[in-house]
Amino acid sequence: MSTRMAPRPPGATMRLELTRWSLLRNFLRQRALNWVVMTSSFAALLLAIAAGVLGTAAGSANFGIVFVWIVWWGLLMGVLLPLGGRLWCFICPIPAPGEWLQRRAIVDPPVNGKAPALLAIDGSNRSSDRERISVGWRWPKPLRGIWLQNAGFLGVALFSTVILTRPSVTGWVLLAFLGASVGMAMLFERRTFCRYVCPVGGFIGLYALTAPVELRVRDPLICQDHRTKDCYLGNAAGYGCPWLEQPWTMERNASCGLCGECLRTCTKDNVAVNLRLPGSDLLVAHGWKLDEAYKAFIMLACAAIYPVVFLGPWGWLKEWANLDTVSGFTIYALGFLLLNLVAVPAVHLGTAALTRWVSDLQEIPLRRLFVALAYALVPLGLAAWMAFTVSLVFANLSYALPVLSDPFGWGWDLVGTRAAAWAPMLTGWVPSVQAALLIVGLVASIVAADGILRKIHGGQATIRGLAIQAFVLTAEAALFLWLYLGAAA
Amino acid sequence: MRFLNLVTRRFIPPHGKGLEYAARAVTAGLLLGLGAAILVGIFGRPGSSGQAIDLVARQPAAGGWSRDRIVVSQGDRVRLRIRAEDVVHGFAIGRLGVDAGPVEPGKTVTVEFVADRPGEFTFYCTEWCDPNHPRMRGVLEVRGAGESAAPAGAPAPASDVTLQHLDDPRDTGIVPPDFPSAMRGLPPYGQGCASCHGAQGEGTDWAAAIGRREFLFSRSPVEVFRMLAGMKLPDGSTRVGAHGQNVAKRSKAATPHAPYARGWSDQERWDVVAALWSFATAADRIDLGRRLFQRNCAACHGEGGRGDGPGGRSQPKKPADFTDARRMLAGTGELYTAKIRRGGMGTGMPYWGSIFSEEELSALVDYVWTFALTAPLRN
């Protein structure tokens, strides 16, 4: 276990601690909070799976499609992720049953104040092996990081035209996620699935770097002197960090699921939830990793592919993506993978090399610059996804009303809204909102590029390097503007 | 018992407090409630009155109707719950006058009717849903009292189905200089014909009712034109058979009609022909025909009847172009009725005889004439 302490984050004075208000602090410490939230979402998940598998094949009338790909997606990309980072991971029902089984409890803290062995670092002095349900293995080191999540997301994204439009496929995919999370909870410690496997968790973690909310220790020095490390190991008040994070070293949002266990277990009252300047985590240099850089490329590429396939006028491409013919889909899949894994990274590599050359940064390894500057793509990528989500949600959210009454499309009218007609909302505003989002994303990306270059360059500005970055980012933003406001409008 | 003990020991918390038990109860309740709701949904909703028959509509490529035969008893109040799974479908039983209208994807439409006549009735999709949409059909079998097996089967074929010349090539050999106009045809008809045949072709004591369907049904427009032009008909005569018969009843020699049309241009003769065909129909029949055409035929034959509908592209033979006067005006109402009733026999056109009533067939043919002969009436 690393004993490195998190340095005081830069701009710490710009933080507003939300948990200094006792009302909020006490609320977040309630053990029942996670259960209420997760059980509610778990019920919705089960309904989505059941509706997907058993309900109507018409996506617009199926709870599984409407509530997962319109309501949930809109909530995630429009609100939760940009404002709350990994807030969805706090709500997400997929790890719920596995975690309940691991803990043998839904709400209760660990037995006699001791975490089950699988949650303990040492294993021996916490609870007896007799009580184990999960094997509690550690996730293999070579698989740590988000490469698996990248691959999983690519797989889901590649088949997204099928998954997003066919309720039964959505149902089975959700069921597979649930099964995988339970299975992994029985084999591996804590939320290994969430941290290393969940295809959604990967991009949420990346984009959570931009969030204006963070959970951090107040004073790392207090943790340094605190030997029992209850936030990691658990105590009578709660479980050790399910996300395998060590809060006293945490400087980024990437792997904090905001579950609040450390708020409960910290005996020094040294954990806080803060408001901060969005995007601070992008500049945390030791967090720059190749797997996350590739996640940024993949998300950027998919943000360009989705409007083309889903919203664009190119019917033949949609047919290819929709698996209408094997040959068509093969061409689409090759193009999709090439764009994600080769073309976008290649453009970025060229840009990084040019930046390195014009900025006299030859002493910096190209690989380091390549990885670091990928984080400048994160705000623009998030903005592009939000722009895509706006067009999707504004046009389709009204499907939620009839589906609430008739989740399976069987003719029910549970809450009297079955006959509610589809009515696109505020569609006249969509182009303006999309343009505004993309412009804000572009500016944020240029600011992030500047911060990253300064960080690499020992705090000095590199005007020429920034100009290269700004030019390429602007070109990418222009491409998105054309895709959303021109080609797909 | 051992398994139960194991489960109990593993999953019932010895340290459970009230909240934990409450949480487990609520979670279990949610699971059970959801399961129960699904079972209720699958095996029938409480409170539904009467026995509902579920019918799921899918594109023909995905299986079409979930049932291709529904059996009920005569006198039953039939309650059909129709659900579309993929695209907009429709449901109708033409010969029973049942029409559920369009059924949107994911929506359920319920239609109720009394099966008051025994027999087999074709139900069909009324919305263009797939290149094979016309084949999205099924049979409602209404069994009479005491019947246990399927009744005699399809209704007896109409006499016109036996017509031998149904698929013969047709060619007027003459093309109207301009689109025939019933409105333009009224003045010459009034001057040359009305005094004998009546102002609307309704006939008089001494002349046939040439503006009536019964008269025109087995005659082609080009036949009448030829008669007015003094041309020889295929049988060598210059008169119209039924007209001659009618006149013969009054012991008068059949009169060639060319003298009455002397001085008319070819266009005027065609206009008079159009006027005769327009006398034989009415606006409400044209309207019924138009609705039937747009719902069932336009996908292949095109809204303008030019045979250019998108559905026609996937058919083995290009759908007929009803605006092709050279071909169209050589046919008779009898012929077109038979073709619609029978279908295209390899051309891709489905048969409609088991769907349309005689009145609907007749209205549809009246509407089809408007593409080549009686267009003004459409306005």
Side-chain angles (χ1 to χ4, degrees):
Chain A
M1 186 186 346
S2 167
T3 55
R4 183 174 50 79
M5 292 292 155
R8 264 281 171 228
T13 51
M14 297 295 286
R15 280 161 166 77
L16 172 65
E17 188 192 329
L18 298 175
T19 40
R20 70 180 175 180
W21 289 297
S22 57
L23 195 67
L24 180 64
R25 189 171 64 241
N26 292 335
F27 176 72
L28 293 177
R29 284 178 172 170
Q30 293 301 315
R31 288 219 59 80
L33 179 63
N34 298 49
W35 168 69
V36 169
V37 171
M38 288 172 78
T39 305
S40 307
S41 60
F42 188 56
L45 173 71
L46 292 180
L47 186 59
I49 291 172
V53 173
L54 300 170
T56 175
S60 60
N62 189 299
F63 184 89
I65 291 287
V66 173
F67 265 80
V68 174
W69 301 122
I70 298 172
V71 177
W72 168 75
W73 183 259
L75 203 62
L76 176 71
M77 298 308 291
V79 181
L80 295 176
L81 188 45
L83 298 181
R86 273 202 185 266
L87 197 54
W88 167 252
C89 298
F90 163 66
I91 301 167
C92 181
I94 287 177
E99 192 166 76
W100 294 337
L101 288 171
Q102 271 186 343
R103 295 173 174 178
R104 296 180 59 215
I106 292 178
V107 180
D108 271 0
V111 185
N112 300 325
K114 293 180 178 178
L118 63 108
L119 298 185
I121 290 174
D122 49 13
S124 57
N125 65 346
R126 290 284 161 171
S127 63
S128 70
D129 284 351
R130 189 173 57 79
E131 293 174 336
R132 279 188 174 193
I133 291 177
S134 168
V135 179
W137 288 331
R138 295 278 170 88
W139 188 243
K141 267 191 179 171
L143 295 178
R144 290 180 193 174
I146 64 167
W147 285 113
L148 271 181
Q149 291 174 308
N150 287 349
F153 181 83
L154 270 180
V156 172
L158 180 59
F159 291 95
S160 57
T161 314
V162 177
I163 297 171
L164 270 59
T165 56
R166 290 168 176 76
S168 62
V169 182
T170 285
W172 287 112
V173 167
L174 292 177
L175 197 59
F177 279 18
L178 190 61
S181 97
V182 173
M184 285 192 62
M186 293 299 94
L187 293 175
F188 296 96
E189 59 179 342
R190 312 194 196 191
R191 288 199 186 184
T192 298
F193 173 81
C194 299
R195 172 135 190 182
Y196 298 117
V197 179
C198 175
V200 178
F203 79 77
I204 293 183
L206 181 73
Y207 286 148
L209 301 178
T210 65
V213 175
E214 64 176 17
L215 185 145
R216 298 285 188 275
V217 295
R218 283 196 184 111
D219 184 355
L221 293 176
I222 293 176
C223 300
Q224 201 166 21
D225 297 332
H226 189 209
R227 311 291 297 174
T228 56
K229 301 288 185 270
D230 297 52
C231 57
Y232 189 81
L233 301 175
N235 58 25
Y239 295 88
C241 178
W243 284 77
L244 300 154
E245 278 287 270
Q246 297 155 4
W248 63 93
T249 65
M250 214 164 67
E251 292 174 74
R252 307 164 79 232
N253 283 351
S255 301
C256 170
L258 295 176
C259 65
E261 286 293 349
C262 53
L263 274 168
R264 298 171 193 127
T265 54
C266 180
T267 55
K268 305 288 184 183
D269 196 17
N270 194 34
V271 179
V273 176
N274 304 316
L275 274 183
R276 53 112 191 248
L277 280 177
S280 314
D281 293 354
L282 295 171
L283 305 182
V284 178
H286 71 79
W288 295 337
K289 304 261 171 48
L290 186 62
D291 54 353
E292 285 188 351
Y294 253 85
K295 172 59 81 182
F297 302 144
I298 289 168
M299 295 308 293
L300 199 71
C302 286
I305 293 170
Y306 270 47
V308 169
V309 173
F310 283 99
L311 309 176
W314 303 284
W316 52 271
L317 187 60
K318 191 163 189 169
E319 285 174 8
W320 284 2
N322 199 36
L323 266 170
D324 282 8
T325 60
V326 175
S327 56
F329 182 76
T330 306
I331 297 169
Y332 170 75
L334 284 174
F336 178 91
L337 293 174
L338 275 175
L339 190 69
N340 274 280
L341 299 176
V342 180
V344 172
V347 169
H348 184 73
L349 180 65
T351 310
L354 196 60
T355 304
R356 181 170 175 256
W357 180 56
V358 301
S359 307
D360 290 330
L361 290 172
Q362 272 78 4
E363 76 280 8
I364 307 293
L366 180 58
R367 179 192 158 106
R368 176 168 159 75
L369 205 59
F370 172 73
V371 170
L373 286 172
Y375 286 82
L377 300 174
V378 170
L380 182 60
L382 177 59
W385 275 101
M386 290 173 74
F388 170 72
T389 304
V390 163
S391 57
L392 184 81
V393 171
F394 280 23
N396 298 310
L397 190 60
S398 58
Y399 283 125
L401 276 179
V403 162
L404 266 182
S405 270
D406 188 12
F408 292 82
W410 287 343
W412 295 359
D413 198 4
L414 297 176
V415 290
T417 55
R418 191 185 75 171
W422 171 66
M425 290 181 298
L426 303 171
T427 43
W429 284 87
V430 167
S432 311
V433 174
Q434 288 176 317
L437 283 168
L438 288 168
I439 289 167
V440 170
L442 170 64
V443 171
S445 275
I446 293 173
V447 170
D450 180 44
I452 291 166
L453 285 171
R454 282 173 188 270
K455 194 106 182 174
I456 289 174
H457 206 221
Q460 294 174 17
T462 56
I463 300 299
R464 282 175 295 180
L466 182 61
I468 298 289
Q469 287 295 313
F471 176 77
V472 175
L473 287 167
T474 305
E476 287 166 348
L479 173 71
F480 283 117
L481 277 169
W482 175 74
L483 282 176
Y484 288 109
L485 308 184
Chain B
M1 186 56 76
R2 195 174 166 188
F3 175 73
L4 198 63
N5 284 338
L6 185 71
V7 171
T8 308
R9 190 159 49 84
R10 294 246 165 165
F11 295 99
I12 303 294
H15 58 290
K17 301 289 193 303
L19 185 58
E20 176 65 24
Y21 281 118
R24 291 186 184 201
V26 171
T27 307
L30 272 174
L31 289 172
L32 292 174
L34 188 63
I38 293 167
L39 289 176
V40 167
I42 291 173
F43 295 109
R45 277 188 303 159
S48 61
S49 60
Q51 187 188 1
I53 299 169
D54 284 309
L55 191 62
V56 181
R58 300 184 187 92
Q59 287 177 296
W65 295 111
S66 58
R67 297 158 171 251
D68 55 9
R69 177 171 286 269
I70 298 170
V71 181
V72 298
S73 298
Q74 186 179 4
D76 278 358
R77 183 160 194 83
V78 182
R79 186 164 178 262
L80 288 174
R81 224 163 40 202
I82 306 148
R83 191 171 85 233
E85 284 284 68
D86 36 29
V87 297
V88 179
H89 292 280
F91 176 90
I93 309 174
R95 298 176 85 89
L96 285 182
V98 175
D99 189 345
V103 186
E104 291 178 20
K107 298 288 169 69
T108 302
V109 170
T110 303
V111 64
E112 289 191 35
F113 58 95
V114 176
D116 51 3
R117 281 187 287 149
E120 291 191 337
F121 304 91
T122 301
F123 62 82
Y124 70 111
C125 176
T126 56
E127 297 287 332
W128 178 259
C129 60
D130 183 278
N132 281 314
H133 152 76
R135 277 149 197 83
M136 191 166 163
R137 298 174 174 199
V139 172
L140 174 76
E141 182 184 327
V142 183
R143 289 182 177 169
E147 259 186 296
S148 58
S159 60
D160 55 18
V161 178
T162 62
L163 289 174
Q164 296 299 309
H165 61 278
L166 211 58
D167 298 317
D168 288 350
R170 301 187 304 282
D171 187 352
T172 57
I174 309 162
V175 182
D178 193 8
F179 195 96
S181 162
M183 295 300 288
R184 285 199 309 259
L186 287 177
Y189 174 84
Q191 291 165 10
C193 318
S195 58
C196 291
H197 293 287
Q200 298 282 311
E202 68 274 19
T204 59
D205 287 346
W206 59 92
I210 58 172
R212 290 295 173 265
R213 184 170 183 275
E214 298 73 24
F215 181 85
L216 296 173
F217 189 57
S218 58
R219 291 173 175 81
S220 66
V222 73
E223 271 182 274
V224 179
F225 171 84
R226 282 172 174 273
M227 179 270 293
L228 290 174
M231 296 176 178
K232 287 193 174 179
L233 298 176
D235 64 359
S237 71
T238 57
R239 65 190 68 153
V240 178
H243 183 276
Q245 286 162 15
N246 201 352
V247 173
K249 278 182 190 170
R250 296 187 55 79
S251 304
K252 286 185 179 176
T255 310
H257 283 70
Y260 295 99
R262 187 179 301 124
W264 291 358
S265 66
D266 278 359
Q267 182 61 51
E268 283 173 315
R269 293 189 182 96
W270 280 114
D271 291 343
V272 169
V273 171
L276 291 178
W277 256 261
S278 71
F279 292 153
T281 187
D284 58 340
R285 287 168 56 77
I286 293 285
D287 191 50
L288 171 63
R290 179 184 54 78
R291 280 185 278 122
L292 289 169
F293 183 88
Q294 289 184 348
R295 174 187 268 193
N296 300 293
C297 317
C300 290
H301 290 282
E303 279 192 62
R306 294 186 184 82
D308 57 357
R313 292 174 206 147
S314 55
Q315 303 303 335
K317 190 178 172 191
K318 185 181 182 298
D321 176 0
F322 302 134
T323 64
D324 177 3
R326 201 175 178 99
R327 191 162 180 267
M328 189 67 192
L329 299 180
T332 65
E334 186 180 32
L335 177 84
Y336 296 136
T337 303
K339 284 179 95 66
I340 295 170
R341 181 180 280 139
R342 184 203 66 175
M345 301 293 282
T347 64
M349 174 161 160
Y351 65 93
W352 295 96
S354 62
I355 289 178
F356 293 150
S357 65
E358 290 302 312
E359 184 199 356
E360 287 173 327
L361 277 171
S362 169
L364 191 53
V365 171
D366 283 0
Y367 181 69
V368 168
W369 281 125
T370 67
F371 292 118
L373 191 62
T374 54
L377 275 182
R378 284 186 287 166
N379 301 323

